[in-house]
Amino acid sequence: MSDDLRITLKSTDHPPRPRRLLAGIALLVLTGLFVWLGVSYYNASQSLQRGKRFLRQMRNVEAEAEFQRFIRWHHSHAEARLLLAEAIVKGDRRQPQDAAEIAMDLLQGIPDSSPLAAEARMRQGRLALFILQRPAIAEELLLKSVRLNAQLLDSHFLLWKLFDLTERFQHAEEHFWNVYRLTEESAKAERLREWYTSQFSPGAATAELDRRMGFLQAGEMANDFASRNRLSAFMKNESDSAVVVAANARALLDSRERDAAVELLLGVKNIESAIQNHFFLFTLIEAMIELGRLEEAKSFFAKWRTSRDEHIFWRTAGRIAEIAERNDKAAVEAYDQALKIWPGPAEWTLMHRRAQCLARLGDREEAEKGRQESKRIEQLMETEIHNKLRLALVDLKDPGTLKLMVEFYRSLNRARESTCWQTELERLLSAR
Amino acid sequence: MKPDSTSAKKPVANGDKSKSKPSPQVIKEKSAASVQPQFVNVAATMELEFEYFEDRVPGRFFLPEVMGGGVGWGDFDRDGWTDLYLMNGAVLDPSVRAVGESEHRNVLFRNIRGGRMTNVGLTANAADSGYGQGCAIGDFDADGFCDVYLCNYGRNALLSNNGDGTFEHSSGIEEENDGQWSSSAVWVDLNADGNLDLYCVNYMDCTLQNSRVCQYGESSGYCGPGNYEGVADVVLLNTGDGQFRDATIELGFGDLQGKGLAVAVSDFDKDFYPDIYVANDMEANNLFVRTVSKAPDNGTGSIHYRDVAPESGCAVSGEGLNEASMGIACADFDGDGLVDLYLTHYYQMKNTLYRNLGGGQFEDDSFRTGVAVTSFPFLGFGVVSLDVNQDRYPDLFVANGHVLGPTIDPNAMTPQLLLNDGRGNFMDHSKTAGAYFEDVWLGRGAAGADFDNDGDLDICVSHIDRPVALLRNDTTTGKNFITVQLACRNRTPCHCARVTMTDGDHHVMQVFGAGGSYLSSSDDRLHFAVQDSSSVVRLLVEWPSGQSELYDALPVNRGWQITERRSPSESVK
């Protein structure tokens, strides 16, 4: 062995003392770190369970902490995000809007590809509607939720309620039947009752939601003031939304403030975009007709390109034909279509219009039949009838109540509801 | 029934009574579009001092207090100048009447040659002291002097004109209207016996005992018609000897519990029989047409009336909704030869134009014609059809004013002057029509008459809380005119006669009707504006008897009295 090599060996065989110390410390630290990480990971893994337990115990602040801990290690964990969002919203550390915004961000972090995406979108929709009071965003989210999972009852339910809250209660049928389909058997009667209330007592149907959103005091009855406040709040948050503008305009029309309704509708930021929403278009055309602005009504109607199978399309087509174009034949054809689609069977005023068109066309016999039918349905809409039904509906265990509902819908030529109520009646009787 | 003969007659002036009205100063003729309607309230200068006493008691909110009173025009003394009868209220609850408080009475104003109105109510014994609502002017006893039927909240009354400047209360009316709330009435020969019968419209069963107070937000106010039951109308047949009998059921008017406020007679179906249109408040309206049974004619037994409003499309709105109808105007608004209907309604709930389509069909054309949009901000009562700009198309005056009381907005409202474009489309020209239209009023009864005999129609409007207005029509058109008063062979008014005036290439048709507006009675002369500068016009009169008479070259700027099968005579001036 050469002296050089010997010297080299000598220098490596024995590192200097400080270096050994540093290495030892580093090893210790690393080991500690790994241990700590391991323990932390283990603890974090337990956090999810602890958090769930705290959530069940309504210890929301602690639950939040646990879920935060878990998410630090499992950033993409969808369930954890769901739970953390829930804990934040239920907690009382923040203002509701702030909590909702944070929760929305968390939920947004769950991609559409996740198995929990539908649930996430639904929860986002619920937050957007009830806390952030942004129904347009809520509707987008809820529609996405049902596209991702058509079996998610809550999403359909929230859509139905959203329609109720935005003056579209008469156009919520599709959403209701989805809810009904997904509802367990034992609760179907309550659903049918809710549907009846939604259609024939829309104020009562939204009362509880208005209380939760702060537009009604506890124990206060539904009233127009609360509805207007709700719509104003929506407008404040989403003044560019076609649906929100149209909902506010519809409330103005119902109060007979026609000029204000048209001003609101035409003042929307992007009218060409807004009229792609059919509820907006329908409301605008109706207001124009009432104000005698028929040429404008016609030109807006000409822009109705899609979804020409909706009730509101046919209703509008009929009024344009009858009033703006004086084409009674086309009006009758349109009204015939409108009357087949809910709320058509209950629209006795539309039936009357149709009858008047027939009379002008010289078909006196059919006109008289139409008038009689209109009168019959009008009488079904009398306050006394519905006071009686509402009183009866308090007790769904009374076969008399269910029979009343069967008969009511049968009189309205609504076989679907009538059959459902009949099913409930048979279920009740067989259970006795 | 269509007329089956036509005879052309040349006008022959009656030497004893003819006095030519000086031709109006010839002014350069203006096109209708450039004519600026102008009305001036000359009540003060005419010494027409009157304010309806509604007996409003604070906090009571008894509905009659807000209904106001009617206005009736008629030439009671046959001096050629139309006089004015004004309904007045009274103390509704005599038990609380203050000691020494004077009675409030109706007033008859005698028109002194169009320059002054003199209150002759007391001296003429025409100053009834009931709680006055509407009045109907008509010559029920065919003595040539028009009488007055008074609709009251409470007992109605019939003032028979003695022809000597005095009236007497006629006890001939035996009707079960005691204590009823009557609103309007109209004289019309219902059974074709040549006597004027009476259709009396009743409103509601609302008494001091069952009166209710309603809440509007934080304020109390008057309850609407939904809170009370309607009362059936009454039809009284004139037996010809100063007596009347109730023939309501017998003639087929049935026991309809409408809440009637106005009634008008015209000929909507061109059969020359009187059709009676009744406007009801929040109930379906009625259109009674005569049917003739196939049974042998045994006097009145074959004549019957049937309500055809539901199938005719003029009972309810185009949507099928009952409307709160207050006043009626009948005229051929679209120039198609058929009489149309204009009704005044509640605040924010459109007035309604029923366009007569013929064949017994009407169409609610309110949205297309501008009637809806011009009426939404108002609550309409009295309405008068008149050709303001003399373009031969009937325009409209509407008296507006709310009913809920002074503590609830809106209350008083501006009246309206709506001009017709010739196709039955209306635009509001109120703002430039004079100071009266810029002010706010609680307008109620309104009736039209040419009180100054200058060829255009003036309007008297009764209000609540403010004096009556006499709107002299000062619109300058430069056009000539002709007025026509019709009488059947037996000298009774010839309702449903049709008069077509032709001047040059222009034709305009009017039907001689009765009633209309709200609680009021307009002068029954027909006014025609002559479109070209002719000094004579042609008049075709189609009489209900089936006869037609053609009067060629009738001089213009005159009033003509035309009696069937007699030569026309100039109206006395």
Side-chain angles (χ1 to χ4, degrees):
Chain A
M1 193 187 296
S2 68
D3 285 338
D4 290 342
L5 185 62
R6 217 177 286 130
I7 291 166
T8 303
L9 284 172
K10 213 175 187 174
S11 69
T12 58
D13 275 350
H14 301 287
R17 233 190 209 324
R19 280 194 195 169
R20 280 208 300 272
L21 190 63
L22 277 171
I25 292 170
L27 192 63
L28 205 63
V29 167
L30 276 171
T31 305
L33 190 63
F34 278 124
V35 166
W36 179 79
L37 282 172
V39 167
S40 294
Y41 184 83
Y42 175 76
N43 282 340
S45 302
Q46 298 302 305
S47 288
L48 188 64
Q49 299 311 315
R50 280 198 297 275
K52 286 181 183 177
R53 192 169 65 246
F54 285 140
L55 206 55
R56 282 195 298 273
Q57 294 167 356
M58 294 200 290
R59 293 160 66 178
N60 299 311
V61 173
E62 288 147 290
E64 180 185 335
E66 294 296 336
F67 293 132
Q68 292 278 20
R69 193 171 297 131
F70 181 87
I71 280 178
R72 258 182 242 131
W73 289 95
H74 307 277
H75 190 71
S76 310
H77 200 281
E79 188 192 7
R81 282 180 168 266
L82 284 176
L83 293 167
L84 175 56
E86 187 180 340
I88 288 171
V89 169
K90 285 181 176 174
D92 53 13
R93 285 173 50 201
R94 302 172 182 85
Q95 292 294 323
Q97 278 80 9
D98 294 334
E101 295 277 10
I102 296 169
M104 288 284 279
D105 281 342
L106 274 167
L107 293 167
Q108 190 59 32
I110 301 174
D112 287 350
S113 53
S114 163
L116 292 174
E119 177 74 24
R121 301 294 91 79
M122 181 277 290
R123 293 190 187 197
Q124 281 178 290
R126 188 164 57 200
L127 289 169
L129 178 59
F130 292 124
I131 300 183
L132 298 176
Q133 294 173 3
R134 294 182 195 153
I137 290 178
E139 189 169 342
E140 272 177 42
L141 290 161
L142 292 168
L143 286 172
K144 184 176 268 192
S145 175
V146 301
R147 277 198 296 275
L148 290 167
N149 181 1
Q151 305 307 311
L152 202 55
L153 182 148
D154 284 350
S155 299
H156 293 290
F157 181 81
L158 286 167
L159 274 168
W160 170 20
K161 293 297 116 184
L162 191 152
F163 269 59
D164 281 355
L165 290 168
T166 51
E167 304 291 301
R168 292 178 288 170
F169 64 94
Q170 290 184 319
H171 314 295
E173 190 187 11
E174 179 196 348
H175 302 303
F176 163 70
W177 287 114
N178 282 324
V179 169
Y180 184 77
R181 171 176 56 84
L182 294 166
T183 298
E184 56 192 49
E185 300 292 323
S186 61
K188 278 192 182 320
E190 277 96 356
R191 285 287 183 233
L192 287 170
R193 177 172 59 190
E194 272 185 80
W195 174 235
Y196 163 81
T197 307
S198 160
Q199 296 305 292
F200 297 100
S201 268
T206 54
E208 191 49 42
L209 298 173
D210 277 332
R211 279 184 206 104
R212 285 199 211 171
M213 288 192 286
F215 299 116
L216 268 179
Q217 303 298 321
E220 191 183 355
M221 301 290 286
N223 57 67
D224 287 343
F225 189 66
S227 301
R228 292 286 282 261
N229 282 346
R230 179 210 324 132
L231 293 171
S232 293
F234 288 169
M235 187 75 184
K236 191 169 150 230
N237 295 327
E238 291 185 316
S239 58
D240 292 340
S241 155
V243 163
V244 169
V245 169
N248 276 271
R250 183 135 295 273
L252 287 168
L253 279 177
D254 289 345
S255 304
R256 302 192 188 103
E257 295 173 62
R258 299 161 181 94
D259 288 307
V262 166
E263 194 181 327
L264 185 66
L265 290 159
L266 292 178
V268 76
K269 196 172 173 189
N270 184 343
I271 185 97
E272 287 305 317
S273 167
I275 60 174
Q276 302 310 309
N277 180 288
H278 299 141
F279 179 59
F280 182 97
L281 194 53
F282 160 65
T283 307
L284 177 60
I285 294 171
E286 193 155 299
M288 292 271 178
I289 289 175
E290 291 215 1
L291 289 172
R293 292 163 68 165
L294 300 181
E295 289 308 310
E296 287 172 89
K298 276 160 59 175
S299 73
F300 276 112
F301 183 66
K303 297 183 183 187
W304 197 321
R305 300 264 148 71
T306 56
S307 294
R308 292 159 74 97
D309 53 353
E310 298 172 298
H311 167 79
I312 53 175
F313 171 79
W314 288 114
R315 188 177 194 281
T316 307
R319 281 169 67 78
I320 290 283
E322 183 193 355
I323 299 171
E325 294 171 348
R326 302 193 85 175
N327 184 339
D328 287 323
K329 185 167 180 295
V332 169
E333 286 167 7
Y335 288 147
D336 279 339
Q337 295 303 317
L339 289 168
K340 288 180 199 165
I341 309 165
W342 186 259
E347 278 195 305
W348 59 270
T349 56
L350 211 63
M351 292 172 196
H352 185 88
R353 281 212 164 273
R354 177 183 172 276
Q356 294 302 98
C357 291
L358 286 168
R360 289 193 290 271
L361 288 169
D363 193 344
R364 303 273 176 121
E365 202 178 311
E366 280 305 308
E368 184 55 27
K369 279 187 197 165
R371 259 192 296 270
Q372 295 295 335
E373 182 63 5
S374 167
K375 203 74 196 159
R376 188 182 74 79
I377 301 295
E378 182 189 0
Q379 280 161 0
L380 272 182
M381 299 299 131
E382 292 287 331
T383 309
E384 300 88 67
I385 302 263
H386 290 274
N387 283 345
K388 189 177 164 192
L389 290 173
R390 275 193 286 269
L391 206 59
L393 281 168
V394 170
D395 184 2
L396 289 175
K397 299 292 180 205
D398 180 353
T401 296
L402 305 189
K403 277 184 201 158
L404 266 179
M405 297 311 293
V406 170
E407 272 318 306
F408 171 72
Y409 279 105
R410 196 171 282 160
S411 300
L412 212 50
N413 297 321
R414 285 289 288 182
R416 199 169 181 185
E417 282 92 340
S418 179
T419 305
C420 289
W421 279 106
Q422 181 66 35
T423 303
E424 293 307 311
L425 175 61
E426 284 161 11
R427 200 201 311 279
L428 184 71
L429 291 174
S430 67
R432 288 195 163 187
Chain B
M1 179 165 69
K2 293 193 190 287
D4 56 9
S5 73
T6 303
S7 59
K9 291 205 171 170
K10 296 222 183 281
V12 175
N14 183 319
D16 288 338
K17 290 183 179 176
S18 67
K19 282 185 186 175
S20 304
K21 179 184 189 292
S23 296
Q25 183 179 1
V26 174
I27 297 167
K28 185 178 172 186
E29 192 173 313
K30 298 182 179 182
S31 67
S34 66
V35 169
Q36 180 53 58
Q38 264 304 305
F39 285 82
V40 178
N41 184 3
V42 295
T45 55
M46 290 285 292
E47 299 174 30
L48 180 64
E49 292 175 14
F50 175 82
E51 184 172 329
Y52 184 84
F53 174 73
E54 76 273 18
D55 190 31
R56 181 180 292 147
V57 172
R60 182 170 66 177
F61 299 113
F62 186 37
L63 196 56
E65 297 168 8
V66 293
M67 303 309 285
V71 172
W73 288 102
D75 186 6
F76 296 103
D77 52 8
R78 292 186 60 185
D79 64 351
W81 298 92
T82 317
D83 311 301
L84 184 61
Y85 193 89
L86 296 172
M87 300 298 287
N88 202 356
V91 173
L92 283 160
D93 184 0
S95 68
V96 300
R97 190 163 99 191
V99 172
E101 183 175 358
S102 60
E103 271 191 328
H104 302 274
R105 292 177 174 274
N106 298 344
V107 178
L108 171 61
F109 281 97
R110 185 164 174 253
N111 182 357
I112 311 298
R113 303 187 64 81
R116 189 162 56 90
M117 292 282 191
T118 304
N119 182 350
V120 298
L122 282 171
T123 54
N125 193 32
D128 188 76
S129 60
Y131 194 96
Q133 296 286 269
C135 59
I137 315 291
D139 182 12
F140 81 92
D141 50 11
D143 63 356
F145 292 91
C146 50
D147 314 294
V148 193
Y149 184 77
L150 308 176
C151 298
N152 290 327
Y153 178 86
R155 195 181 184 91
N156 294 345
L158 174 59
L159 298 178
S160 175
N161 188 342
N162 294 323
D164 60 1
T166 66
F167 291 76
E168 67 184 51
H169 277 67
S170 171
S171 58
I173 285 213
E174 289 181 20
E175 37 104 352
E176 294 148 28
N177 231 32
D178 271 359
Q180 301 283 23
W181 184 357
S182 299
S183 53
S184 294
V186 69
W187 291 105
V188 58
D189 182 4
L190 289 168
N191 59 347
D193 66 350
N195 296 317
L196 284 181
D197 310 302
L198 188 80
Y199 188 105
C200 179
V201 177
N202 288 323
Y203 191 29
M204 300 190 300
D205 176 19
C206 173
T207 64
L208 281 165
Q209 287 69 41
N210 70 6
S211 176
R212 298 158 77 165
V213 178
C214 284
Q215 286 302 122
Y216 299 93
E218 302 198 348
S219 298
S220 298
Y222 297 86
C223 288
N227 293 274
Y228 304 100
E229 296 296 319
V231 177
D233 299 341
V234 170
V235 174
L236 302 171
L237 275 189
N238 184 344
T239 55
D241 52 0
Q243 304 296 311
F244 292 80
R245 64 180 177 84
D246 189 336
T248 313
I249 305 294
E250 175 188 332
L251 285 174
F253 290 98
D255 193 28
L256 299 168
Q257 304 280 331
K259 295 171 184 171
L261 281 176
V263 59
V265 170
S266 190
D267 180 19
F268 300 103
D269 50 10
K270 294 175 83 167
D271 65 355
F272 291 89
Y273 291 143
D275 307 318
I276 298 108
Y277 191 84
V278 180
N280 293 305
D281 192 358
M282 291 311 293
E283 299 287 336
N285 296 335
N286 312 110
L287 173 59
F288 296 105
V289 299
R290 185 191 293 193
T291 61
V292 181
S293 73
K294 293 188 170 59
D297 185 357
N298 55 359
T300 63
S302 63
I303 292 177
H304 219 69
Y305 285 83
R306 187 171 73 89
D307 181 11
V308 299
E311 65 251 41
S312 297
C314 59
V316 293
S317 75
E319 302 267 292
L321 297 164
N322 292 344
E323 296 182 297
S325 301
M326 322 285 193
I328 309 169
C330 302
D332 179 10
F333 293 112
D334 54 1
D336 64 354
L338 297 164
V339 178
D340 311 298
L341 282 159
Y342 180 98
L343 276 78
T344 53
H345 290 136
Y346 198 74
Y347 176 58
Q348 293 184 327
M349 294 175 87
K350 77 165 181 69
N351 291 347
T352 296
L353 175 70
Y354 288 116
R355 188 190 295 268
N356 190 340
L357 303 176
Q361 278 300 306
F362 289 81
E363 176 187 15
D364 178 350
D365 211 11
S366 312
F367 293 120
R368 188 173 31 239
T369 55
V371 163
V373 70
T374 52
S375 62
F376 284 137
F378 301 100
L379 196 164
F381 276 95
V383 54
V384 177
S385 167
L386 71 164
D387 184 2
V388 174
N389 51 3
Q390 299 197 318
D391 61 355
R392 78 180 184 276
Y393 306 125
D395 310 301
L396 289 162
F397 167 83
V398 184
N400 294 311
H402 216 297
V403 293
L404 294 180
T407 60
I408 299 171
D409 253 350
N411 192 33
M413 297 174 163
T414 54
Q416 289 174 286
L417 197 64
L418 305 173
L419 294 193
N420 181 349
D421 70 353
R423 288 166 296 164
N425 302 318
F426 291 88
M427 286 189 65
D428 196 331
H429 280 253
S430 313
K431 286 192 166 54
T432 50
Y436 177 80
F437 290 88
E438 294 171 35
D439 202 350
V440 291
W441 308 83
L442 290 173
R444 295 294 186 259
D450 182 8
F451 83 89
D452 51 4
N453 286 335
D454 65 348
D456 54 31
L457 212 63
D458 314 295
I459 304 166
C460 182
V461 191
S462 180
H463 311 103
I464 287 180
D465 284 350
R466 292 183 75 174
V468 73
L470 179 58
L471 302 177
R472 189 183 65 203
N473 188 344
D474 283 358
T475 307
T476 307
T477 64
K479 292 206 175 140
N480 296 324
F481 72 92
I482 189 168
T483 67
V484 176
Q485 188 143 33
L486 296 178
C488 290
R489 270 175 290 170
N490 61 359
R491 296 191 298 162
T492 56
C494 239
H495 296 129
C496 303
R498 300 172 81 85
V499 181
T500 304
M501 185 202 73
T502 303
D503 58 316
D505 294 330
H506 303 105
H507 310 275
V508 59
M509 185 282 301
Q510 292 189 38
V511 170
F512 183 56
S517 190
Y518 167 75
L519 309 188
S520 300
S521 188
S522 290
D523 178 27
D524 61 3
R525 285 178 289 178
L526 301 176
H527 286 71
F528 294 89
V530 179
Q531 297 306 302
D532 65 17
S533 53
S534 316
S535 61
V536 294
V537 295
R538 190 194 311 174
L539 274 187
L540 172 67
V541 181
E542 298 167 86
W543 300 102
S545 64
Q547 299 294 313
S548 294
E549 290 172 313
L550 184 64
Y551 304 94
D552 235 343
L554 215 53
V556 299
N557 296 332
R558 284 162 171 77
W560 293 97
Q561 171 86 39
I562 300 180
T563 304
E564 192 177 359
R565 294 204 183 168
R566 294 189 192 174
S567 301
S569 59
E570 276 193 55
S571 301
V572 176
K573 296 292 181 284

